[in-house]
Amino acid sequence: TLAAINDGGNCNTFHSQLAAADGLYYFNGSQSRIERMPLAEPFTPQEVKVLTGAQEPTTGRGFFDAGDYLYWPGYSNIFRTRKDGSGAVATVANTAASANDVVVVGTTVYWSDITGIHTTTTNCGTLPCTGSQQQFASLGANGLSSGLLYQYLGGVQGNYRVYWVERTGTNPTYNYSIRYRSCNQITVCTITSPATFY
C-alpha cells in the first residue's frame, strides 16, 4: 500500500494516475493538489502543484506526460504544469465541451470530446496559442469519443495516425467503432471522414 485514507467521504481522493519514469503522479482530491510518489521507499508523496477548483482534472481521466510537463483535461480546458512544480498552471486550450482524453506529441496537443477530435499547439509565447486550435475530426450525431492514441509511422513525410473509439446513436442502440486519421507532417489534414478501423 503506497497511500491510504480512512474516510468514506473521500473515496475519490486518489485519481488521474500516471506511471512515469520518475514516479507515480496522481491528483489528491482531499488536498486539491497533484502529488508524485517516488519509485522507491519510503514512498513519501511529494507535492507537485496545488490546483484551484477550476483546474482540477476531470474525474477518471489520467495525466499525460510530455517532456517536462504534465497535461490533463479539466471541465472546459486543457491544462499543463511543470513536473517539478515550478511556474504556473497554464491553460493550453479552451474547450467547448469537457475533454475525455489528451495526447501530446512534440508541440501538438490532441484531445477528444463529444464534438470530435481537436488539436492545438504549444509553440507560442503565451498559452493558449491564438488561432492554432482546430478540429481534426468530427463525430456523428450524439457522438462520444475516448481512447485517443497516436502512432508514428515514419517515412520521409513523417506519417502518423491518430486512433480513437467513437460512440454514435442513441440508447439502447449505441454503435461503437475504432476510427483513425492518417496524416503526415508535410501535408495538412483537412476535415474529411476518418477511416473506420474496426
Side-chain angles (χ1 to χ4, degrees), residues 151-175:
Q151 178 188 28
Y152 180 69
L153 300 173
V156 176
Q157 296 180 322
N159 299 322
Y160 64 94
R161 284 183 180 166
V162 176
Y163 295 86
W164 65 93
V165 175
E166 184 174 319
R167 184 192 78 187
T168 56
T170 56
N171 193 18
T173 58
Y174 287 125
N175 297 305

Side-chain angles (χ1 to χ4, degrees), residues 15 113 163 186:
H15 59 90
D113 62 26
Y163 295 86
I186 295 175

